[in-house]
Amino acid sequence: QFAFAQEETSPPITTRFEQTPIYPFVGSEWTSDTGTAHWGNNPQYGWRTYESFELPSAEILTGFRWLITMIDYVTWRNNPVDSFVDEWELTIYEDDNGKPGDVLYSEQITNDQLSVTRLANVYSERREVEAATYECEWTPSESFHAEPGKTYWFSPLSKSETFNPITTWAASTAQGNPFRRESSFLAVAWGACLQNGVDANDKKEFVDRGGDRALILLGHPAKDADSDGMDDAWEQLQGFDVALND
């Protein structure tokens, strides 16, 4: 179970979790994008990428920030290209034995509802092109309550009429959970990043992908009025007295 915090006075918003982007060099991007028209009669096609996170203490998360690159993989000389994203499906999942499980929170918003900042172009070693890079920030309609020591998965899925240009989620310098594979394009530790097909008729199983994703979580510590190590939102959910150290 999870809860959304409702506090009378919220502390200042700060960084609660950070996987620093590999920037300006980007070499291990994974597609998190779906489109329709590019694939004819196929109603939906694409790939969804997930990144895990775990916090040592109870936190109220108010913002999610990640780094993307836009790449035209059909006509390479068109790169760098501008963003063609129409909508985003932004989802937080609970963990199910090392993979995303049930949906805990999800919103579908237009690209205009997202805070998007164009950064300098970067060279994608993996794809051997100059790529347009953007920093994206999502402020959920309701702040998310993350329990201490619990693993969650976050997935930002971009949606557009065409699957090309593709939206790729950039890598970070974080090492994450060890997962090794042979690679000639980037020498980093491999982390807790998974991917699967969006199309119901395509591959739905999760595939391990190299490298943690660039991800920053914003928020503030959860309120614990009685200093018993259990934050107020969780105690209210369980029916406990938030003023009693129990």
Side-chain angles (χ1 to χ4, degrees):
Q1 291 185 327
F2 66 104
F4 292 102
Q6 295 182 354
E7 302 184 15
E8 294 182 1
T9 303
S10 296
I13 303 301
T14 60
T15 298
R16 314 309 301 168
F17 175 93
E18 182 171 7
Q19 293 184 168
T20 306
I22 299 176
Y23 184 81
F25 174 82
V26 177
S28 176
E29 320 93 39
W30 294 111
T31 304
S32 196
D33 185 10
T34 183
T36 53
H38 182 70
W39 297 96
N41 294 326
N42 194 340
Q44 192 175 55
Y45 183 91
W47 292 90
R48 184 193 295 268
T49 300
Y50 311 78
E51 178 67 30
S52 65
F53 65 91
E54 180 181 311
L55 302 170
S57 57
E59 302 285 350
I60 306 301
L61 300 180
T62 61
F64 292 71
R65 185 183 297 161
W66 64 100
L67 197 72
I68 65 170
T69 57
M70 298 296 300
I71 298 175
D72 186 330
Y73 72 96
V74 175
T75 308
W76 294 103
R77 65 176 178 273
N78 287 343
N79 290 290
V81 294
D82 293 330
S83 173
F84 285 84
V85 178
D86 296 322
E87 297 179 338
W88 289 88
E89 185 176 295
L90 304 161
T91 309
I92 305 168
Y93 303 82
E94 69 176 357
D95 180 71
D96 181 14
N97 295 316
K99 64 182 185 299
D102 291 339
V103 172
L104 297 179
Y105 186 72
S106 185
E107 285 186 10
Q108 184 161 306
I109 63 174
T110 65
N111 195 56
D112 292 340
Q113 294 174 285
L114 198 70
S115 175
V116 180
T117 303
R118 175 74 181 263
L119 305 178
N121 295 336
V122 298
Y123 181 73
S124 171
E125 184 77 9
R126 179 176 180 225
R127 304 175 191 274
E128 298 182 338
V129 295
E130 285 284 328
T133 307
Y134 299 84
E135 182 182 77
C136 302
E137 185 173 327
W138 169 48
T139 302
S141 297
E142 299 177 85
S143 54
F144 182 77
H145 168 226
E147 297 179 32
K150 186 172 182 178
T151 299
Y152 300 93
W153 294 84
F154 171 61
S155 176
L157 178 69
S158 71
K159 295 183 174 184
S160 56
E161 183 179 0
T162 61
F163 188 60
N164 182 64
I166 56 173
T167 304
T168 66
W169 192 355
S172 82
T173 57
Q175 295 187 1
N177 299 326
F179 176 78
R180 302 193 63 82
R181 72 173 210 167
E182 293 299 320
S183 172
S184 60
F185 56 80
L186 186 61
V188 297
W190 302 103
C193 173
L194 297 174
Q195 190 181 57
N196 66 1
V198 173
D199 180 9
N201 298 317
D202 200 353
K203 298 177 179 179
K204 294 297 291 183
E205 68 272 13
F206 291 103
V207 179
D208 287 302
R209 293 304 193 194
D212 279 326
R213 300 301 89 200
L215 177 63
I216 293 175
L217 305 180
L218 306 173
H220 58 81
K223 187 177 180 181
D224 183 10
D226 53 14
S227 301
D228 60 359
M230 297 179 286
D231 63 273
D232 293 354
W234 186 86
E235 287 199 273
Q236 290 173 343
L237 184 67
Q238 302 300 320
F240 297 161
D241 186 346
V242 298
L244 177 64
N245 189 325
D246 49 7

